[in-house]
Amino acid sequence: MSMSSKSVGDDLKVSRTAAFTRFAETLRLYVGRGGRFSYKELERKSGVPARMIEAYRYEPDHEEWRAAPLEHVLSLIAALGPEFASDMLALADQGAFWLPDDGDPNPGEFAAETSENTTEIVRRAADGVFCAEDRKHLKAVGQRKIQNGMKLVAMGSKAA
């Protein structure tokens, strides 16, 4: 293949097509029929017009598809949270989490929540298999454990 016949981004780790396809697939899980949000709800939460959100849900080869500008992608991530962001970032072998607020957690509540997460993992692992149902629940446990870990990192960062 000559250099002139190559498409821009052919050498990228994540192609433009793969990125926009993942964005569309992930967005369809969260908005519209069967999703957690209606287009109008997500428009209110993100500031991105509902008609644009609908266009972003199409595959890149669809005639109604539109490329989402970075500010729309980030606004949708901010509205939908780290679970959505992690689903998107999985394409780059990455994940996301909420940044902790400025306040330290209550030590007793923090320890109890951490223990509950560990207990759920142990309970789901007891039969020696993580089935599909277990994996759905463990994904949420993992997100909570990441959030708790970031609280510890934030607390440690305050130590002088």
Side-chain angles (χ1 to χ4, degrees):
M1 172 183 283
S2 72
M3 287 301 283
S4 61
S5 66
K6 286 182 83 171
S7 296
V8 173
D10 277 349
D11 296 329
L12 295 174
K13 178 159 173 57
V14 178
S15 73
R16 181 177 198 267
T17 300
F20 281 117
T21 297
R22 173 60 64 95
F23 184 59
E25 291 168 351
T26 306
L27 202 51
R28 285 193 300 267
L29 297 173
Y30 288 81
V31 65
R33 184 172 295 162
R36 299 176 188 170
F37 299 95
S38 71
Y39 294 107
K40 284 296 181 188
E41 288 172 322
L42 189 51
E43 177 179 28
R44 282 191 295 278
K45 284 184 64 118
S46 69
V48 177
R51 66 185 178 352
M52 296 309 299
I53 296 168
E54 187 171 0
Y56 302 152
R57 291 180 73 241
Y58 291 114
E59 298 293 325
D61 60 353
H62 191 280
E63 66 183 33
E64 298 293 322
W65 176 79
R66 298 292 177 268
L70 184 58
E71 65 272 19
H72 283 197
V73 173
L74 293 175
S75 293
L76 291 166
I77 287 171
L80 294 170
E83 187 178 340
F84 175 81
S86 290
D87 287 346
M88 286 286 306
L89 290 170
L91 195 58
D93 302 324
Q94 307 262 334
F97 51 86
W98 289 113
L99 292 174
D101 60 16
D102 291 333
D104 286 349
N106 174 292
E109 290 174 11
F110 182 81
E113 182 178 330
T114 302
S115 177
E116 288 168 7
N117 288 329
T118 301
T119 299
E120 183 166 356
I121 294 167
V122 170
R123 193 173 350 99
R124 294 188 176 281
D127 64 359
V129 176
F130 287 133
C131 67
E133 186 65 22
D134 290 336
R135 291 171 188 267
K136 286 182 205 173
H137 290 278
L138 291 173
K139 182 177 179 182
V141 171
Q143 284 291 334
R144 291 192 305 266
K145 288 181 76 68
I146 290 168
Q147 289 174 294
N148 283 338
M150 291 312 299
K151 289 176 186 176
L152 292 174
V153 170
M155 286 172 44
S157 297
K158 294 177 190 175

